[in-house]
Amino acid sequence: MADLSFLDSSDFALPSYFSPKEDLNPDFSETLSFPTPQDLVAKGTAEAKKLHQFAKGTTTLGFVFQGGIIIAVDARATMGSFIGSNKVKKVIEINDYLLGTMAGGAADCFYWETNLARVCRMYELKNGERISVGGAAKILCDMVGQYRGYGLSMGTMIAGWDHKGPGLYMVDDDGIRLKGDLFSVGSGSVYAYGVLDSHYRFDMSLDEAVQLGRRAIYHAGHRDAMSGGVVRVYHVHQNGWTNVIVAEDINLIHDIHEEEKGMKNLDDQVTFKH
Amino acid sequence: MSRFNPYNDNGGTVVAVAQGSRVVIGGDTRISNGYNILSRNYNKVTQLTSTTFIATSGQVTDAQALHKLLLAKVALYKHQHGNEPSLRALSKLLCVTLYSRRFFPYYTFNLLCGVDDDGQGKVFGYDAIGSFDELKYGAQGSGQQLSISILDNQMKGTNRTDSYSFNSDPVGLVKDVFNAIAERDIYTGDHVLIWDVSPQGINQSTFRLRSD
């Protein structure tokens, strides 16, 4: 009977001469990412790498308020400077009561968060109860922590509702695992933080909170080249999660804002000087 | 002393367009190495089941190894389940197969296409390590950036001032796209092999491109 076990390999194949820490700065920037700007600059020297340790491209945000948690994300994915897609789903529905966001390497985020979904389900079956948000975040953190230095790129927020109420955790490929009330991850996070910090209050209504998340992503998508596409907003509450805004085009939000400011069609009036 | 570099880009482009219950897949037949042409008759598309195909650009050795591996997994699935895997099932299978080589990736850029269980034609586009998304149309390879704007314009009606919807033959569109790519990409040319896949059957044709 032939040995077919190679077809189900669960370990990650590595050639014998490979040392992941040095070699795994991809020569090809063709892995879809959300995006990691390191791909755009010259690779090679260790110093160059350190200088260009940018935050992961993309904008994702999450915050806790009186009505639960709002998660808002953009939808752009780039390969180098090529826009791979403007309609990516950066929120992974882990299960009925847990959400995960994606920033950094698309495949890394998708694979490990889908794996987290499998582990959370096993936990439910073995223990007869749902896993806590902090527990799920810990499992994800430890899963990728095993591959520290291998070049995984993942900046994610785990949001859910458990016996302690709403829980929001930030988990990173560096091994960070932080509990908090407000996070933004990605190259557009600087713009999102500006908007969030200006208007965030714990006692906001649901509508105010959704609009705040939507607005923050719009501003980030507008100013950050690596972010854009459509806005997606989720609301996490006691009964699970709801996809409040499925896909709202950032360019259309821009037009709405321009009209509100009374500056409609100003772009059309721009003259180009030589 | 330079280290052995296992990667090499053999060029070429693959395109796929889904419309209704039909999907049209095209792959050019040129294999290159730097400025040399190694073959003008190489097929980049492999049929995995009676309704699904995988079209791959990038490195030929990795593509061959990947296609062989997938065919073996499909054969095993057929023995274990008594029927063919669906396109949806294969989409996840390709994802985890690519990710299993996360730290020594297959240098391949794939389009997995076919007719799914629900009777709809679908295209799944992948990056080298398995990130994938369902698309209405896709292009991968050296001609991706040249062709994707044309496909956006024709299939989605972007970058035009009139309201427009695509209502002609997708095979004609794929031919036009490859002609456009071959004009401006040195790595795409010679011939295009086109598969027109629908629940009624598979129609394969060859289309001549510039050989320069």
Side-chain angles (χ1 to χ4, degrees):
Chain A
M1 179 67 187
D3 177 14
L4 295 169
S5 54
F6 73 93
L7 288 173
D8 298 317
S9 61
S10 56
D11 54 344
F12 293 99
L14 268 176
S16 53
Y17 57 81
F18 238 59
S19 168
K21 294 161 202 56
E22 296 156 50
D23 289 285
L24 275 153
N25 230 350
D27 291 302
F28 43 95
S29 60
E30 284 92 350
T31 51
L32 195 74
S33 51
F34 294 137
T36 47
Q38 284 111 305
D39 305 338
L40 298 177
V41 299
K43 291 154 272 282
T45 63
E47 302 91 83
K49 242 176 28 183
K50 263 186 247 160
L51 284 172
H52 298 111
Q53 223 52 276
F54 298 121
K56 293 153 180 59
T58 219
T59 314
T60 60
L61 64 86
F63 58 84
V64 182
F65 74 112
Q66 57 77 17
I69 305 176
I70 293 293
I71 297 284
V73 298
D74 76 316
R76 179 166 287 184
T78 60
M79 283 181 278
S81 60
F82 176 72
I83 295 176
S85 173
N86 262 334
K87 294 221 157 78
V88 177
K89 292 201 182 80
K90 297 190 188 178
V91 176
I92 289 172
E93 296 155 8
I94 294 170
N95 56 38
D96 289 338
Y97 58 95
L98 274 180
L99 292 177
T101 62
M102 292 212 262
D108 290 336
C109 289
F110 179 77
Y111 184 89
W112 291 111
E113 289 183 31
T114 308
N115 202 29
L116 176 65
R118 184 185 62 81
V119 174
C120 288
R121 179 63 183 139
M122 290 302 288
Y123 180 98
E124 269 178 32
L125 290 169
K126 286 184 190 173
N127 296 281
E129 63 174 23
R130 286 176 173 180
I131 192 169
S132 65
V133 186
K138 195 83 174 256
I139 284 177
L140 180 65
C141 179
D142 293 342
M143 276 196 307
V144 296
Q146 291 192 296
Y147 295 95
R148 182 100 65 94
Y150 277 63
L152 289 183
S153 173
M154 191 192 78
T156 183
M157 292 179 289
I158 302 292
W161 193 291
D162 60 19
H163 60 282
K164 288 194 194 145
L168 180 65
Y169 288 79
M170 212 251 296
V171 176
D172 205 291
D173 57 78
D174 300 321
I176 289 171
R177 175 179 162 270
L178 284 173
K179 186 177 197 297
D181 286 339
L182 187 132
F183 288 111
S184 181
V185 181
S187 62
S189 66
V190 285
Y191 307 103
Y193 273 128
V195 175
L196 287 171
D197 289 336
S198 305
H199 301 289
Y200 170 80
R201 286 171 4 254
F202 183 81
D203 54 6
M204 285 186 290
S205 69
L206 173 60
D207 196 54
E208 282 178 305
V210 169
Q211 290 306 311
L212 178 60
R214 169 181 173 271
R215 197 166 191 129
I217 295 293
Y218 154 68
H219 281 287
H222 182 60
R223 279 293 182 177
D224 177 29
M226 311 286 209
S227 304
V230 296
V231 184
R232 302 194 202 274
V233 182
Y234 284 73
H235 173 216
V236 181
H237 45 77
Q238 196 166 21
N239 300 319
W241 51 261
T242 314
N243 191 187
V244 180
I245 298 178
V246 176
E248 196 177 345
D249 194 316
I250 283 178
N251 283 320
L252 292 178
I253 299 177
H254 178 69
D255 289 340
I256 294 170
H257 281 220
E258 293 288 282
E259 230 179 302
E260 282 172 7
K261 290 192 281 184
M263 286 165 67
K264 185 131 172 66
N265 293 325
L266 194 68
D267 289 337
D268 298 339
Q269 294 159 26
V270 169
T271 50
F272 297 91
K273 299 196 166 74
H274 297 281
Chain B
M1 185 71 174
S2 64
R3 165 92 74 96
F4 167 65
N5 177 22
Y7 291 116
N8 192 20
D9 189 350
N10 295 120
T13 314
V14 290
V15 169
V17 173
Q19 202 191 37
S21 62
R22 194 176 160 208
V23 67
V24 176
I25 307 149
D28 78 314
T29 59
R30 176 176 289 182
I31 301 294
S32 325
N33 186 11
Y35 288 124
N36 300 311
I37 293 177
L38 301 176
S39 172
R40 298 189 192 271
N41 320 103
Y42 185 80
N43 179 16
K44 297 186 171 95
V45 181
T46 302
Q47 183 167 9
L48 294 176
T49 70
S50 60
T51 55
T52 60
F53 289 77
I54 178 169
T56 307
S57 63
Q59 184 168 13
V60 166
T61 54
D62 278 359
Q64 285 180 345
L66 178 67
H67 289 195
K68 260 189 168 177
L69 188 61
L70 287 174
L71 283 168
K73 292 195 181 195
V74 166
L76 211 61
Y77 184 107
K78 291 206 289 218
H79 281 116
Q80 288 173 346
H81 293 82
N83 52 246
E84 288 187 322
S86 64
L87 176 59
R88 232 187 111 246
L90 284 174
S91 69
K92 197 71 176 284
L93 179 68
L94 180 54
C95 169
V96 296
T97 305
L98 290 170
Y99 201 84
S100 73
R101 289 278 296 261
R102 169 65 177 79
F103 303 117
F104 183 17
Y106 289 108
Y107 193 169
T108 59
F109 304 98
N110 296 282
L111 290 171
L112 184 73
C113 359
V115 181
D116 205 351
D117 275 355
D118 58 5
Q120 292 297 105
K122 290 176 189 165
V123 175
F124 292 88
Y126 291 78
D127 74 345
I129 49 173
S131 164
F132 73 105
D133 202 8
E134 189 185 326
L135 312 163
K136 287 261 158 52
Y137 55 89
Q140 296 278 16
S142 54
Q144 176 190 43
Q145 267 127 299
L146 289 165
S147 58
I148 201 69
S149 309
I150 304 174
L151 286 164
D152 286 339
N153 177 269
Q154 292 294 303
M155 295 296 294
K156 271 207 287 210
T158 57
N159 300 311
R160 46 196 320 149
T161 49
D162 54 342
S163 68
Y164 171 87
S165 62
F166 184 70
N167 55 5
S168 46
D169 184 24
V171 175
L173 174 63
V174 169
K175 289 180 179 172
D176 284 343
V177 164
F178 269 101
N179 269 328
I181 301 170
E183 289 293 309
R184 293 290 186 173
D185 176 27
I186 58 174
Y187 296 117
T188 304
D190 297 318
H191 304 89
V192 187
L193 291 173
I194 299 181
W195 281 263
D196 183 357
V197 185
S198 66
Q200 285 73 49
I202 299 162
N203 198 11
Q204 208 231 303
S205 55
T206 313
F207 176 63
R208 193 73 206 276
L209 283 180
R210 299 176 67 114
S211 296
D212 58 356

